[in-house]
Amino acid sequence: MEKEFLEISKKRKLEIENPVIAETYKQKISGFNTKQELTLFLAEEPNNEYSQDLKL
């Protein structure tokens, strides 16, 4: 089951690297007052918390 979830995660990562798909997902995110507020939040999200250990 872990391998299945790993494959799903890898496919999702590759999928959201497509700018059109990433924008579609961003439009579905709620909880922000404006689109710019979401954009600022995503721009300031720290990347150093995530490991780059996955081999794609």
Side-chain angles (χ1 to χ4, degrees):
M1 189 168 205
E2 290 175 12
K3 286 185 180 187
E4 179 183 346
F5 287 128
L6 178 60
E7 286 302 315
I8 292 169
S9 297
K10 287 167 56 175
K11 288 178 182 177
R12 176 59 52 92
K13 181 181 183 317
L14 292 173
E15 179 182 49
I16 62 174
E17 287 179 347
N18 177 325
V20 174
I21 294 173
E23 189 58 35
T24 300
Y25 284 148
K26 286 179 191 177
Q27 291 174 2
K28 295 180 181 184
I29 297 174
S30 62
F32 293 91
N33 296 317
T34 65
K35 184 177 178 181
Q36 181 163 356
E37 196 174 83
L38 170 61
T39 301
L40 289 172
F41 176 79
L42 294 173
E44 294 175 4
E45 182 180 16
N47 287 330
N48 58 351
E49 293 180 25
Y50 306 107
S51 174
Q52 300 296 324
D53 293 342
L54 289 179
K55 306 293 186 238
L56 301 177

